[in-house]
Amino acid sequence: MSPAPSGPAGVRRPQRILITGASGCVGQYIAELLLRETDAELLLLLREPSKLTAVAATDPRITLLVGDLRDLGSPGADPALARAIAAATRIIHTATAWGDPERARQVNVEAVKTLLSLADPEQLEQVIYFSTASVLDRRLRLLPEASQYGTEYIQTKALCLQQLEDHPLAARIVAVFPTLVFGGRVDGSGPFPTSYLTAGLGEAARWLWLARWLRADASFHFIHAADIARVCLALATAPHEANPEVGQGALRRIVLGQPAVGVNETVRRLGQWRGCWLPPWGLDLRGWLVEGLIRLLRIEVNAWDRFSIRQRHFVHEPISPPERFGRVSHAPTLEAVFADAGLPHRGPVPRSPER
């Protein structure tokens, strides 16, 4: 654990770590790990305490801050929230919003400004700000198409990143960019909330009968929420330093992910896990065929969807799994993700029939 602020007569005080979005999937993995492996006091900012399942709200090291980020700094806001934010030595900002453009702007842009304005520069050592890897290109530069074609979520994340680059606290901010996030259990059991991607594993398994006949030249990174928590633990328990990354500005950019995996490889490994026979060939999903399927099936696609179809390979260099910070990944492979999610394993893959 890094040296924490000292109290009277040099007595060491534990870090006070504020986590926003603390009832979400990633927020709960972070809170549970920090509670288990550090002596930090945790300030958990959330809207619905009933959704907090991975840690005990009654733990003496936990303080619940119940409120909406959009209300911070408003005349009617609880002054206790402002005092708690000002007392934080570290902030891990995971809270986000999507779906409604106005709400996304308020939460993903305006609330971030307010949150940082309420922090005490004399107390605050570090901010770990959560964005999304979708706004970055391969070399971790801001992707122009994110602002041009992105959904309200992606556009507001891109805008916030641009503003943070010039923020007075930029040198204390570490921006982390998760790739595709797994977490929790497929059936919703267990202490952690289920991420949207993990929830979709069961549906993906049900479509294997079709997917195994298709081929797509595309690739991506993934990361488990437990491994996101491991990286946050490493960052939040080390002395903050000036950005050591080559070619970046004051604001450090870290893409959280395991090595890239192809879509075809993913289907193959999911098929093996489910005991589904996979043919040695398949129909290549090229641009014209994808466009035909979209029209035939009357699938709604937006500008970002079309850009993603053209882009195909959402990969980044460098990526940062826990190993980059001296930690060991909880789920470094897709098979580990399937097992952790409780996706039923159907045994060895049957041999293909003799020809």
Side-chain angles (χ1 to χ4, degrees):
M1 182 96 180
S2 65
S6 297
V11 176
R12 176 188 173 280
R13 294 183 302 179
Q15 292 278 6
R16 302 197 73 192
I17 302 178
L18 170 69
I19 304 174
T20 71
S23 63
C25 177
V26 171
Q28 296 209 45
Y29 272 95
I30 295 172
E32 190 277 335
L33 189 62
L34 289 174
L35 191 64
R36 176 159 46 90
E37 297 199 7
T38 76
D39 64 352
E41 299 174 12
L42 303 184
L43 310 173
L44 305 186
L45 179 57
L46 70 178
R47 288 186 302 159
E48 299 182 46
S50 61
K51 292 185 176 181
L52 190 66
T53 53
V55 296
T58 55
D59 189 286
R61 286 166 48 206
I62 288 179
T63 300
L64 293 190
L65 305 175
V66 182
D68 193 311
L69 278 173
R70 292 171 292 178
D71 297 330
L72 293 180
S74 67
D78 184 351
L81 295 180
R83 290 195 297 269
I85 294 170
T89 58
R90 308 262 175 152
I91 295 176
I92 303 177
H93 181 55
T94 76
T96 193
W98 60 86
D100 176 70
E102 179 59 21
R103 181 169 178 266
R105 183 190 63 81
Q106 291 174 352
V107 173
N108 299 343
V109 180
E110 301 304 326
V112 178
K113 298 178 189 175
T114 305
L115 178 68
L116 295 179
S117 71
L118 293 174
D120 181 356
E122 298 297 319
Q123 293 281 342
L124 186 66
E125 301 173 23
Q126 179 189 68
V127 177
I128 301 176
Y129 163 74
F130 273 70
S131 186
T132 170
S134 297
V135 303
L136 299 181
D137 68 9
R138 179 185 288 268
R139 299 297 180 183
L140 311 195
R141 297 167 301 196
L142 185 63
L143 188 68
E145 289 84 357
S147 300
Q148 296 171 6
Y149 308 128
T151 63
E152 75 290 328
Y153 170 70
I154 292 173
Q155 286 186 346
T156 52
K157 286 294 188 181
L159 175 59
C160 187
L161 179 63
Q162 290 175 303
Q163 294 180 352
L164 289 178
E165 293 281 5
D166 299 320
H167 196 279
L169 292 174
R172 303 187 204 181
I173 299 174
V174 181
V176 295
F177 301 83
T179 49
L180 298 180
V181 177
F182 290 97
R185 306 276 291 181
V186 171
D187 61 4
S189 64
F192 297 102
T194 303
S195 75
Y196 288 100
L197 203 58
T198 293
L201 280 176
E203 186 69 16
R206 286 191 285 274
W207 281 95
L208 269 173
W209 66 270
L210 175 60
R212 62 181 177 172
W213 298 102
L214 304 175
R215 299 292 181 269
D217 179 26
S219 54
F220 60 91
H221 301 282
F222 68 90
I223 188 77
H224 195 282
D227 291 324
I228 294 176
R230 281 166 164 75
V231 173
C232 287
L233 174 68
L235 293 171
T237 57
H240 186 69
E241 59 181 349
N243 186 5
E245 309 292 339
V246 177
Q248 298 182 5
L251 191 72
R252 187 178 184 184
R253 301 181 182 186
I254 300 176
V255 173
L256 304 179
Q258 299 293 344
V261 61
V263 168
N264 296 333
E265 176 68 8
T266 299
V267 172
R268 184 186 69 80
R269 290 160 73 175
L270 180 59
Q272 287 181 334
W273 185 265
R274 295 289 292 165
C276 176
W277 173 75
L278 299 175
W281 53 269
L283 183 62
D284 192 4
L285 288 176
R286 297 186 181 275
W288 65 268
L289 181 55
V290 172
E291 187 64 31
L293 288 173
I294 289 172
R295 294 182 179 181
L296 178 64
L297 301 176
R298 297 182 179 179
I299 300 172
E300 281 192 38
V301 294
N302 55 37
W304 180 255
D305 294 330
R306 292 191 180 280
F307 167 72
S308 299
I309 292 171
R310 295 193 305 270
Q311 179 84 352
R312 299 197 314 277
H313 299 283
F314 283 86
V315 294
H316 307 277
E317 298 175 5
I319 54 167
S320 297
E323 282 73 11
R324 189 181 179 203
F325 302 91
R327 310 281 168 157
V328 177
S329 288
H330 172 77
T333 66
L334 287 172
E335 289 77 11
V337 166
F338 301 155
D340 187 86
L343 186 67
H345 185 200
R346 298 286 175 81
V349 182
R351 296 183 62 182
S352 59
E354 295 288 336
R355 286 187 148 183

